Amino acid sequence: MSDPNAFTIWPKIEGIDALAELAFNLHWSWNHAADELWEDLDPELWETTQNPWVILRTVSTDKIKSLLAQPEFHKRLDDLLRENRESFSSKAWFQKKHPDAALTSVAYFSMEFMLSEALPIYSGGLGNVAGDQMKAASDLGVPVVGVGLLYGQGYFRQDFDSEGRQRALYPVNDPGQLPIRPLRRPNGEWLRIVIQLPGSKIWLRCWEVSVGRTKLYLLDANDFSNTAAHRGITSQLYGGDAEMRLKQEIILGIGGWRLLRALGLQPEVCHLNEGHAAFAVLERARFYMEDNKRPFDLALNVTRAGNLFTTHTAVAAGFDRFDPELVRKYLSHYAQDELAIPLEDLLALGRQNSGDASEPFNMAYLAVHGSGQVNGVSKLHGRVSQHIFQPLFPRWPEQEVPIGSVTNGIHVPTWDSAAADALWSTACGKKRWHGNRPAEEDIRRLTDAQLWQMRTGGRKTLIGRMRKRYARQLAAEGGSPSEAGGVFDEKVLTLGFARRFATYKRPNLLLHDPERLIRLLSDPHRPVQLLLAGKAHPQDLPGQALIEQWNDFLKRPEIRGRVVFLSDYDMMLAQELVQGIDLWINTPRRPWEACGTSGMKVLVNGGLNLSELDGWWAEAYSPEVGWAIGDGREHGDDPAWDAQEAEALYTLLEQEVIPEFYEQNEKGMPSKWLGLIRESMARLTPEFSAGRAIREYTESHYLPAAAGYHERAAWESKVGASLLQWQEGIARHWNSVRFGNVRIETHDGRHSFRVEIFVGDLKPEDLSVELYADPMQKREPAIETMTVGEARVDSPGAFIYSSEIPATRPAGDYTPRVIPHHTSASVPLEAAQILWQR
Ligand SMILES: *Cc1c(COP(=O)(O)O)cnc(C)c1O
């Protein structure tokens, strides 16, 4: 839509447009074909930033001119640009596999996107999932557009004071230095979106980011037309109070959908990455109202089929909840004037109990009520989410709460080292992440020598980079930077522990018995070294205390040179770590790690995992691929259990991990360890990749969602209208449904059930009568749909439902029940009534 030169005034040099086009697309964050070009422009800046955009904005005109004057440089540039353009417009997996799909656009909403250090608008795991999925969507040609916020300061940056306490820093994100550009209308006007807030309008500036063949659109409030208070709304990610968060979420959801429409996009699918953006479902419905002259209820019924909600938290306390008064302040005019519904109806969408005026407004509940599909982010988290959302489906068995799962994956090309990339290319070819998964057998052919060379090289590179960082850090803390040269040893088993320092992650589990840890680290024959990193939210004091606990431990002289805590864990540091660490440790309290992704990033690089059986590791672990602690059950925050798990962690390290790393064969290679690496790479890397996740989202969620939306919208919303009428009928008349006589007979090894149902003011086709038996060994309950027979002439409104089933279980195990039924509805998501016979 806009011209790359509209915002940035480049010097007039022939060829600079080509450089700008290449630098602007974040494709360079995972495809390194152009790296040498940027390095030629400014080797030093390249080394510190790895950011082509900053290089192009910084280097002198003379330097650019002189390089462009070299035919060799010019040719390389032209070739790279042509390759990019061709690869972005060619048919990819999606176009080949689903050539006739009625899916033109998936809007992917997220509060944060972690795409590159060059665009620091993320905090951690949630942004990681969003960024990696966008990149995989680009590789696979799935038509995803991202929608997010551009933060003036982003998430806080971290350093330590001389006492080892965390300090929060807020450097400014200068838009002129970021790989973003203003979105302009065809007439050149900067696209700005307006939203009415109490008392005044807020103007939102719109920006564009290129991510391979996909686009990310960002909104920010720092527009000169806004009041000073409004201009700060998009300053900080996860900063401020509840009111600030509500304003951000209004901008993201309502502003975000308006932005898409202003661009002429009409996405069939709206994917909510966490509940923050749930207002988008309201705004999507509002546009449907406006386009089709239909009331809100009907519009929501039609568009809901196209909405997908992915929940990311494992505790109900993790949901954003707002005081109803706050929602009233900000959204009463929106409800009344724009949606034409009473505010109470809007509030009801965010509540468990729609009639309870004191119940807070829950964004996750709004997302569930506004979506046609809901999923968690690992198999275990799907089940945990069924438990958390159970209150929205009263009297439904937990296993039937309508929440599935798509396990997260990481975008492999973003996290692999150059050496790992080369090795995988020899084994599985160059296009291995652009289609279906690479074959395990191809990876298993890698030899011990190839794998060990990659590992030792990776460890060495990591240690070199770590020392540089550590020297800078020591100097900043007032220490002596020369000390950094002596820490760590290239031959020593290197453990990594880096993540958000939140108490449920138990970052101090390794510190449970400090003396035992010291013995491990300082063993003269088989020593271990440990690299730590992690931030605690500025308001999370217990989390910060855990950082201090480690920094105190670091002062122990016995472990000098064996443990380093690097400050400011960010994407670039994470990339360095996962490419060189031998063993990645993760010790969350089950089941609070919804998925976890950092451990997946080491797989491609030959790192191994030792983790709690939680999140992704609960489904990935087997003894052939790594190590696990935990018994696969939940123990709350019981200190005795923590102690037991710490014990298990030390024992595993002492008796298995360390001996296997140092047990080297006649060629000087640890064959057992390498066997684990080979299996971990072959089995887990493709499975826990964002490519697999995006294929799964596309085939199991996006395509059905698009089809459901089209079905409901077609013929002037015919199906949507029938659904709405049915839903209203069910809500109004459900209480008139009741059970009559139940007759059960058993002969010839079969139970025969005859159940009399009084359908009251409903019709038999509005209902389904089922026999339900609790699960036996498996998790799946036994459910048998009964067949409706003739109406009973002697008893008006009564129908006989019957069913015959094999008598493998006692007849008493089965309970008849009535649930709503409509061919196009998702039950119980869209109608949660249920009537049990007993
Ligand atoms: C991958 C990543 C995360 C998420 O990792 P977890 O496994 O959820 O701890 C967080 N922060 C950064 C910088 C990352 O790269």
Side-chain angles (χ1 to χ4, degrees):
M1 186 170 189
S2 73
D3 155 14
N5 296 326
F7 181 60
T8 309
I9 310 300
W10 302 107
K12 285 216 180 326
I13 306 171
E14 193 276 307
I16 197 159
D17 290 352
L19 271 175
E21 184 175 332
L22 215 53
F24 182 72
N25 194 319
L26 290 178
H27 190 238
W28 52 253
S29 67
W30 74 95
N31 179 305
H32 296 280
D35 283 8
E36 285 173 17
L37 216 66
W38 310 117
E39 198 172 358
D40 287 351
L41 277 162
D42 190 329
E44 197 183 330
L45 202 53
W46 174 249
E47 191 184 329
T48 48
T49 66
Q50 307 271 304
N51 183 338
W53 190 250
V54 163
I55 289 180
L56 199 58
R57 302 278 286 120
T58 312
V59 293
S60 73
T61 319
D62 289 347
K63 181 80 196 184
I64 298 176
K65 266 190 189 150
S66 79
L67 280 175
L68 284 172
Q70 294 173 14
E72 183 274 334
F73 185 92
H74 218 298
K75 176 164 188 316
R76 254 197 296 158
L77 173 61
D78 290 345
D79 288 349
L80 285 164
L81 198 59
R82 200 185 47 248
E83 276 163 32
N84 264 14
R85 286 180 178 167
E86 278 169 12
S87 82
F88 298 158
S89 58
S90 66
K91 285 199 169 88
W93 170 85
F94 180 72
Q95 287 73 29
K96 290 182 195 154
K97 181 100 190 278
H98 301 284
D100 303 318
L103 175 66
T104 60
S105 169
V106 176
Y108 188 98
F109 281 77
S110 180
M111 196 75 166
E112 42 169 315
F113 286 87
M114 174 159 122
L115 289 158
S116 161
E117 215 34 65
L119 187 60
I121 53 168
Y122 67 87
S123 150
L126 187 71
N128 179 210
V129 167
D132 278 13
Q133 287 185 3
M134 278 205 67
K135 291 173 181 173
S138 169
D139 293 341
L140 297 171
V142 181
V144 170
V145 292
V147 181
L149 300 179
L150 177 68
Y151 301 97
Q153 299 174 330
Y155 195 58
F156 85 98
R157 312 301 299 251
Q158 175 199 53
D159 75 359
F160 301 133
D161 68 12
S162 53
E163 304 290 307
R165 280 182 303 236
Q166 165 178 300
R167 286 191 302 203
L169 311 169
Y170 293 92
V172 169
N173 283 338
D174 169 5
Q177 298 286 326
L178 303 177
I180 60 175
R181 62 192 177 204
L183 266 174
R184 293 187 183 275
R185 295 183 190 274
N187 68 2
E189 179 191 340
W190 193 342
L191 178 63
R192 285 144 87 235
I193 299 292
V194 67
I195 296 185
Q196 184 68 45
L197 290 185
S200 60
K201 287 177 180 161
I202 177 164
W203 292 93
L204 302 168
R205 306 189 295 183
C206 302
W207 306 85
E208 167 182 36
V209 183
S210 283
V211 185
R213 64 168 82 201
T214 65
K215 294 282 184 201
L216 166 63
Y217 299 112
L218 299 173
L219 290 156
D220 91 327
N222 192 14
D223 187 287
F224 275 112
S225 326
N226 291 332
T227 63
H230 286 168
R231 286 184 58 189
I233 295 176
T234 52
S235 283
Q236 290 177 12
L237 169 61
Y238 307 138
D241 57 6
E243 188 160 354
M244 180 66 90
R245 180 70 69 87
L246 178 63
K247 287 188 273 192
Q248 289 185 339
E249 295 185 356
I250 288 173
I251 291 176
L252 178 62
I254 298 177
W257 198 269
R258 284 185 191 173
L259 160 65
L260 295 172
R261 289 296 301 252
L263 292 174
L265 292 171
Q266 302 219 32
E268 295 87 359
V269 177
C270 171
H271 188 169
L272 304 173
N273 189 42
E274 194 46 285
H276 304 126
F279 291 128
V281 307
L282 303 181
E283 186 61 10
R284 178 178 185 179
R286 193 192 66 75
F287 269 104
Y288 193 88
M289 293 169 66
E290 193 177 287
D291 295 343
N292 299 281
K293 308 283 171 289
R294 294 298 186 135
F296 175 76
D297 287 356
L298 176 58
L300 185 61
N301 244 310
V302 171
T303 50
R304 184 170 48 224
N307 297 334
L308 165 65
F309 169 40
T310 299
T311 172
H312 285 259
T313 166
V315 278
F319 298 141
D320 275 342
R321 267 174 288 194
F322 298 112
D323 183 337
E325 281 315 305
L326 209 52
V327 179
R328 184 181 309 280
K329 175 174 165 190
Y330 282 94
L331 290 174
S332 55
H333 73 88
Y334 178 71
Q336 278 150 24
D337 302 344
E338 310 217 34
L339 304 180
I341 56 171
L343 179 75
E344 294 310 316
D345 289 8
L346 190 157
L347 286 168
L349 288 169
R351 284 178 172 150
Q352 173 189 332
N353 183 349
S354 57
D356 179 356
S358 66
E359 189 183 322
F361 184 83
N362 182 319
M363 292 300 284
Y365 289 177
L366 172 62
V368 171
H369 288 138
S371 295
Q373 301 179 67
V374 183
N375 72 283
V377 288
S378 67
K379 291 194 171 82
L380 174 60
H381 179 244
R383 298 200 292 272
V384 170
S385 300
Q386 289 183 314
H387 179 72
I388 302 179
F389 287 102
Q390 159 79 62
L392 296 184
F393 304 92
R395 295 181 300 285
W396 280 83
E398 197 169 293
Q399 305 91 333
E400 289 183 84
V401 169
I403 300 183
S405 72
V406 177
T407 303
N408 288 333
I410 54 100
H411 182 249
V412 183
T414 294
W415 300 100
D416 61 1
S417 67
D421 178 39
L423 201 57
W424 280 78
S425 291
T426 59
C428 312
K430 278 231 164 274
K431 287 275 172 191
R432 62 194 176 278
W433 306 117
H434 287 248
N436 292 325
R437 68 175 65 200
E440 289 184 17
E441 281 320 310
D442 289 340
I443 304 155
R444 288 207 181 91
R445 274 196 285 276
L446 293 172
T447 63
D448 277 7
Q450 285 174 307
L451 293 175
W452 192 234
Q453 194 187 3
M454 172 175 79
R455 287 308 317 142
T456 47
R459 192 183 317 111
K460 189 171 164 196
T461 307
L462 168 62
I463 291 174
R465 289 169 167 170
M466 176 276 288
R467 285 178 182 153
K468 279 193 188 157
R469 280 180 183 269
Y470 192 46
R472 283 203 299 270
Q473 185 175 327
L474 284 171
E477 287 165 22
S480 112
S482 57
E483 257 177 57
V487 298
F488 279 30
D489 180 328
E490 285 169 9
K491 295 220 156 41
V492 167
L493 171 62
T494 307
L495 315 184
F497 186 96
R499 54 193 31 83
R500 213 149 43 82
F501 270 55
T503 44
Y504 81 83
K505 299 247 192 190
R506 294 189 298 189
N508 57 346
L509 197 71
L510 260 177
L511 269 183
H512 187 80
D513 181 347
E515 304 311 320
R516 194 161 169 191
L517 180 60
I518 289 175
R519 282 199 297 281
L520 277 177
L521 294 163
S522 59
D523 185 295
H525 304 297
R526 300 188 306 193
V528 173
Q529 53 203 10
L530 172 62
L531 193 43
L532 298 148
K535 308 195 222 176
H537 189 280
Q539 276 154 22
D540 179 5
L541 299 180
Q544 287 171 48
L546 297 173
I547 293 177
E548 283 167 47
Q549 200 183 335
W550 270 110
N551 278 330
D552 282 343
F553 176 75
L554 258 73
K555 296 187 188 121
R556 298 282 298 256
E558 307 94 307
I559 53 156
R560 176 156 300 231
R562 291 263 181 254
V563 188
V564 169
F565 197 136
L566 289 175
S567 63
D568 203 28
Y569 181 44
D570 66 2
M571 186 179 182
M572 217 198 283
L573 175 52
Q575 283 169 320
E576 292 175 13
L577 294 175
V578 300
Q579 294 173 8
I581 289 290
D582 292 301
L583 183 75
W584 195 255
I585 297 181
N586 190 16
T587 54
R589 236 175 225 136
R590 178 174 161 129
W592 288 335
E593 180 92 312
C595 178
T597 50
S598 56
M600 300 175 187
K601 299 169 190 166
V602 305
L603 300 170
V604 65
N605 298 301
L608 295 175
N609 281 276
L610 189 177
S611 281
E612 174 72 35
L613 285 172
D614 192 11
W616 78 285
W617 196 238
E619 65 197 80
Y621 167 74
S622 69
E624 298 83 35
V625 297
W627 295 274
I629 55 169
D631 59 357
R633 279 185 288 177
E634 286 83 51
H635 299 265
D637 53 5
D638 175 13
W641 179 253
D642 288 350
Q644 207 172 316
E645 291 215 303
E647 169 69 33
L649 177 58
Y650 294 126
T651 307
L652 264 182
L653 288 170
E654 289 160 355
Q655 296 183 1
E656 296 188 29
V657 174
I658 299 173
E660 284 178 26
F661 181 86
Y662 285 107
E663 219 166 78
Q664 306 194 341
N665 62 19
E666 64 285 357
K667 293 196 189 113
M669 289 187 281
S671 41
K672 193 152 182 208
W673 186 275
L674 288 163
L676 287 167
I677 290 181
R678 192 174 287 108
E679 281 312 294
S680 159
M681 285 171 71
R683 295 187 200 183
L684 306 186
T685 311
E687 178 63 17
F688 297 95
S689 69
R692 190 272 308 145
I694 280 291
R695 288 193 300 273
E696 196 175 331
Y697 272 118
T698 301
E699 295 185 330
S700 309
H701 296 279
Y702 295 162
L703 289 171
Y709 163 69
H710 284 306
E711 186 204 8
R712 291 182 185 191
W715 303 103
E716 299 180 342
S717 326
K718 186 163 169 281
V719 171
S722 124
L723 248 165
L724 180 62
Q725 205 181 16
W726 165 82
Q727 239 180 2
E728 286 171 351
I730 295 279
R732 202 168 315 125
H733 302 303
W734 188 254
N735 288 339
S736 65
V737 179
R738 58 188 178 81
F739 278 91
N741 291 324
V742 175
R743 266 183 36 213
I744 310 169
E745 286 166 13
T746 304
H747 32 79
D748 302 331
R750 296 182 79 75
H751 301 308
S752 145
F753 287 80
R754 279 171 62 81
V755 178
E756 188 184 26
I757 301 287
F758 292 87
V759 300
D761 296 319
L762 293 168
K763 293 192 283 298
E765 56 268 32
D766 294 336
L767 310 170
S768 182
V769 179
E770 297 175 335
L771 296 173
Y772 172 94
D774 277 327
M776 302 256 277
Q777 280 86 11
K778 289 185 307 195
R779 264 186 54 86
E780 298 304 309
I783 296 170
E784 188 72 30
T785 304
M786 305 187 76
T787 320
V788 61
E790 292 296 299
R792 288 195 42 189
V793 270
D794 51 334
S795 178
F799 290 81
I800 300 293
Y801 287 78
S802 57
S803 197
E804 249 199 36
I805 51 173
T808 44
R809 297 177 65 172
D813 279 9
Y814 293 89
T815 310
R817 67 181 191 181
V818 188
I819 62 170
H821 173 78
H822 184 290
T823 44
S824 300
S826 167
V827 173
L829 191 58
E830 299 184 291
Q833 289 81 0
I834 190 165
L835 180 69
W836 295 89
Q837 190 237 338
R838 55 182 161 84

